[in-house]
Amino acid sequence: MDTHTLRLVLLSVFLVSSSLPSPTLSVSSVRCNPSDKRVLLKIKKSLNNPQSLTSWNPNTNCCDWLGVSCDLQTNRVTTLRFSGISIPGQIPAAIGDLPYLDTLDFVNVADLTGPIPYSITKLQNLRMLSTLLTNISGPIPEFLHQLKNLWFLDLSYSNFYGPIPASLANLPKLEVLELGGNKLTGNIPDSLWASQNRFVVFDLSQNQLSGKIPKSLSHFNADSINLRNNKFTGDASALFKTNGTLSHLDLSWNEFDFDLSRVKLPESLQDMDLSHNRIRGSIPKEITGLNLYWLKVSYNRLCGEIPFGGKVQEFGADSFFHNRCLCGQPLPKCK
């Protein structure tokens, strides 16, 4: 998802240059933008020079350092991506001094703590931000709405708490919102439901969120919606939009209460988990026409005969059991 198309750059371009590097400096080192290198070394110092960043050697090309990528034309640092390494401390404020940064990605960096620094708002080219599986904590910052080019925001499985900022709806390019596995509370802001963004992923699962889904979602559209394991109540049928692009839906482990027989299932739906709710009615016959690879409606209050056909009977009894009076394959025959 980089903004820049990668092009082949021949080393011979540097060798035939009229200004050859000095003997004490490697050919590749002249690629590194001096300003960006100074910032990266400042970041390393702020983290107390961790062992994991030993490759960040001032005598080498910063574009070759661990987790660092540069644009092949401008040589400016565009990516900081760290996965599964030790970086004890907080995200340094100096990260905001990398003006061409497109991607800031921390994945499975357990000893990274503290809040997201305000200086990140200077990164107006930032498109991807992830703190997945870290110990970054605090409320989700309101100031993230200043990152107008952000399309991918993954703060999942960290230690964020408090409400979801309504201002996230002001990110005009946001398509991926993943906030699962935190300690978030309160409602989903109405501004997010009213967003005209088309979400590829809308994941708020495994939090402590509550409240009801609006009865009308005229603008909201998402390919994948995951509200699993929260405290939501009421009618979620507005999420089933026949003219939408919904393919993945997980509403399990909530307290939703609505009549499933009145729901129009979108043809785009590929997997659906409605288990562990208070959903009533019967399973719509239209489900047999869907190209499903996952279906689970167990632990609800459904009744009637399970529609026969399509891929429905390929799912085991555990996908349907513990309902009020469902019957038919793969459950026992209806009496």
Side-chain angles (χ1 to χ4, degrees):
M1 295 292 184
D2 293 330
T3 53
H4 307 287
T5 304
L6 295 181
R7 294 180 174 89
L8 293 176
V9 177
L10 299 175
L11 186 60
S12 59
V13 172
F14 295 102
L15 296 175
V16 299
S17 171
S18 59
S19 178
L20 292 175
S22 68
T24 59
L25 202 59
S26 70
V27 172
S28 62
S29 66
V30 298
R31 277 198 58 221
C32 187
N33 180 273
S35 176
D36 289 350
K37 176 181 275 191
R38 285 193 294 271
V39 173
L40 291 173
L41 292 173
K42 186 176 180 181
I43 290 170
K44 180 182 179 182
K45 184 177 180 180
S46 297
L47 294 169
N48 296 314
N49 300 308
Q51 185 69 23
S52 55
L53 298 183
T54 53
S55 68
W56 290 28
N57 185 326
N59 296 318
T60 61
N61 173 24
C62 73
C63 298
D64 294 332
W65 292 354
L66 175 70
V68 179
S69 297
C70 300
D71 182 272
L72 291 181
Q73 286 188 315
T74 66
N75 299 325
R76 301 306 299 257
V77 173
T78 57
T79 299
L80 285 182
R81 178 169 282 151
F82 305 108
S83 178
I85 64 173
S86 177
I87 307 180
Q90 302 184 11
I91 298 176
I95 276 179
D97 296 325
L98 295 170
Y100 293 89
L101 202 63
D102 171 280
T103 300
L104 180 56
D105 193 355
F106 298 98
V107 176
N108 194 22
V109 184
D111 47 4
L112 193 66
T113 60
I116 295 175
Y118 181 79
S119 63
I120 200 174
T121 58
K122 294 190 287 184
L123 302 176
Q124 288 301 303
N125 289 301
L126 196 67
R127 299 182 69 239
M128 300 179 65
L129 173 62
S130 175
T131 65
L132 172 64
L133 291 169
T134 68
N135 278 302
I136 298 290
S137 60
I140 296 175
E142 286 276 356
F143 55 70
L144 292 181
H145 79 275
Q146 298 181 43
L147 301 171
K148 297 302 184 183
N149 281 302
L150 201 65
W151 73 269
F152 181 103
L153 179 61
D154 185 355
L155 307 182
S156 51
Y157 297 95
S158 299
N159 280 319
F160 291 102
Y161 56 82
I164 298 172
S167 58
L168 292 182
N170 296 328
L171 292 168
K173 298 182 180 180
L174 189 64
E175 295 183 11
V176 176
L177 179 61
E178 301 194 54
L179 306 179
N182 283 289
K183 301 172 184 176
L184 302 176
T185 54
N187 300 331
I188 299 174
D190 289 341
S191 58
L192 275 179
W193 291 127
S195 171
Q196 299 192 32
N197 294 15
R198 176 181 168 271
F199 288 99
V200 177
V201 176
F202 188 81
D203 185 350
L204 310 180
S205 61
Q206 299 188 63
N207 279 287
Q208 300 168 27
L209 297 166
S210 58
K212 297 182 178 182
I213 309 299
K215 292 182 179 180
S216 176
L217 297 175
S218 57
H219 296 296
F220 186 80
N221 191 19
D223 295 355
S224 176
I225 301 174
N226 190 350
L227 304 181
R228 173 185 174 86
N229 199 6
N230 278 286
K231 300 176 182 180
F232 294 116
T233 59
D235 189 347
S237 59
L239 296 173
F240 296 87
K241 299 177 68 172
T242 55
N243 61 342
T245 57
L246 183 64
S247 57
H248 310 285
L249 179 65
D250 191 342
L251 304 180
S252 62
W253 294 94
N254 280 285
E255 298 177 14
F256 287 119
D257 184 348
F258 60 93
D259 188 342
L260 186 59
S261 60
R262 296 178 178 272
V263 169
K264 297 287 187 180
L265 299 176
E267 294 181 1
S268 55
L269 199 60
Q270 297 178 21
D271 72 80
M272 179 172 69
D273 191 342
L274 306 180
S275 62
H276 296 271
N277 279 287
R278 301 174 180 178
I279 300 171
R280 300 168 278 106
S282 58
I283 300 174
K285 292 182 179 179
E286 292 79 10
I287 201 168
T288 60
L290 302 181
N291 186 27
L292 294 172
Y293 64 83
W294 180 254
L295 173 65
K296 199 162 189 177
V297 296
S298 54
Y299 291 92
N300 277 293
R301 300 175 180 180
L302 298 170
C303 276
E305 186 170 6
I306 298 171
F308 187 87
K311 294 188 174 183
V312 176
Q313 276 64 45
E314 295 179 10
F315 302 101
D318 61 338
S319 288
F320 302 94
F321 61 21
H322 287 282
N323 273 285
R324 181 169 289 167
C325 47
L326 273 184
C327 57
Q329 292 186 30
L331 295 180
K333 292 182 180 180
C334 298
K335 296 180 180 179

